[in-house]
Amino acid sequence: MIVPNPVNLNDNLIYTLNLSNSGSPAENVVVTDSLPAGADYLSSTVELAPPAGSPTCTFETNSRIVTCALGMMPPSGRATIGITTRPTVAGTLTNSARVEATPADPDTSNNSVTLNTLVSAAPPICGNSNCDTGEDAMNCPA
């Protein structure tokens, strides 16, 4: 899930990854999320249900990858990962994430996701000198 979508340039954009384990216990569960160029990483959160261990997320600046080590997920276990970013360019941002664990999941069809977000140039800020006169004034409320 992406909130909001579309998003304005320089507003916070949160990628939410919802995981569930409908099979046998999964160990060494790791989620990797490849953040798009044009989105600055701000923070990440992890919630596990039922709570277990101490999940961690790290961000590697050069590769732009968020890695979340969740540890073990029992059958019917759930995890929610929130990754907060800030778009720095207008256009379409493409974000991809995947999950891996041991033993390997026999059904890998639902282990990855790719989502697109439309980033719009921010609307003019009314009341400043750019909006008071000229073309930008048409975009400001009366």
Side-chain angles (χ1 to χ4, degrees):
M1 174 173 44
I2 303 170
V3 177
N5 191 8
V7 63
N8 287 327
L9 188 67
N10 295 315
D11 284 353
N12 285 358
L13 168 64
I14 302 171
Y15 295 105
T16 302
L17 306 172
N18 294 302
L19 291 79
S20 62
N21 181 7
S22 59
S24 59
E27 296 186 23
N28 305 313
V29 179
V30 175
V31 176
T32 54
D33 190 299
S34 300
L35 293 182
D40 289 343
Y41 172 82
L42 299 178
S43 65
S44 52
T45 60
V46 179
E47 295 179 21
L48 297 177
S54 299
T56 60
C57 291
T58 58
F59 176 65
E60 210 312 300
T61 305
N62 292 334
S63 65
R64 307 197 44 74
I65 293 177
V66 177
T67 302
C68 297
L70 306 183
M72 198 275 281
M73 282 185 74
S76 300
R78 297 185 174 281
T80 301
I81 299 170
I83 301 171
T84 303
T85 65
R86 180 169 294 132
T88 58
V89 296
T92 301
L93 298 180
T94 301
N95 184 65
S96 299
R98 65 186 169 107
V99 62
E100 295 179 344
T102 53
D105 188 347
D107 177 12
T108 60
S109 66
N110 60 0
N111 290 358
S112 63
V113 64
T114 299
L115 300 170
N116 292 318
T117 306
L118 178 62
V119 179
S120 301
I125 299 171
C126 298
N128 69 19
S129 61
N130 294 332
C131 277
D132 290 341
T133 59
E135 187 177 314
D136 285 339
M138 293 183 293
N139 297 319
C140 294

